[in-house]
Amino acid sequence: ANAANGLPVVTSLLGSGAQRSAHVQAIVAVAEAAQLDGVDIAYMDLPADQRASFTLFTIELAQALHGKGKILTLTLPAPAKSAQGYDEGAYDWAELAKHADLIQLLPYPDPGSFRLEVPALLEYLTSRLDPARLVMTVTPLATEKAPDGTLRANTNLEARTIASRRHVGAPARE
């Protein structure tokens, strides 16, 4: 969920105990009707003030799904790096990992700094939760960093065009 396509709805559903419980029951009903083995929840970009609500929702959903023999996975964004370490925002990784069967870490947003930043991030996360519950995901999508530092997703054709023009190593000598 994000501001453009559902964040207000999600925060509303998490807003009270009755709404959370109704949301949990609706999700479990869909999983049972479709005979699914489990559910993955990917509520992205939640504001930090939703931390307790999202945790309570996850606990209730995990209990309901586990009671039906189903699993719960969560797909979460990486905690933001800060001067003090990492800011988990709305996602209490340690508590969530006690209830979800797996937590999938979204692909790291900046492939250019992946090898520099991800080892420390993984060290932080695995100090907070059982590494067996953490799944790192990757994406086949290419991104490009603009001079101002913003990231832009490339289409497959754009990525192939860029890759065909660039080379690795020193420029060829004439």
Side-chain angles (χ1 to χ4, degrees):
N2 63 40
N5 70 7
L7 185 56
V9 173
V10 171
T11 57
S12 173
L13 290 170
L14 300 178
S16 75
Q19 290 170 305
R20 273 193 306 275
S21 292
H23 187 44
V24 164
Q25 293 312 311
I27 292 169
V28 172
V30 169
E32 285 191 296
Q35 299 179 349
L36 301 175
D37 292 333
V39 173
D40 179 58
I41 297 295
Y43 291 165
M44 300 300 140
D45 304 322
L46 290 175
D49 66 0
Q50 294 294 307
R51 186 178 178 101
S53 296
F54 184 71
T55 301
L56 291 170
F57 163 72
T58 299
I59 292 168
E60 189 174 342
L61 182 57
Q63 290 171 346
L65 288 170
H66 293 155
K68 302 285 186 182
K70 299 183 182 306
I71 64 168
L72 171 63
T73 65
L74 301 174
T75 299
L76 302 178
K81 191 172 183 178
S82 70
Q84 294 76 32
Y86 288 94
D87 179 2
E88 297 180 356
Y91 311 100
D92 184 342
W93 283 76
E95 189 62 29
L96 296 172
K98 292 176 185 175
H99 305 282
D101 297 285
L102 290 173
I103 297 181
Q104 300 177 98
L105 176 63
L106 272 181
Y108 198 72
D110 181 3
S113 62
F114 178 90
R115 68 179 177 81
L116 300 173
E117 296 182 19
V118 169
L121 172 64
L122 291 176
E123 185 176 325
Y124 169 77
L125 290 174
T126 57
S127 74
R128 306 264 301 136
L129 59 114
D130 178 358
R133 291 186 180 255
L134 181 62
V135 176
M136 193 170 165
T137 61
V138 294
T139 178
L141 304 176
T143 59
E144 187 174 32
K145 187 181 262 186
D148 68 359
T150 59
L151 296 174
R152 182 182 79 78
N154 290 17
T155 66
N156 192 314
L157 179 59
E158 288 172 328
R160 289 173 185 242
T161 300
I162 291 167
S164 71
R165 280 192 250 141
R166 297 192 178 170
H167 64 277
V168 176
R173 294 181 186 189
E174 294 185 23

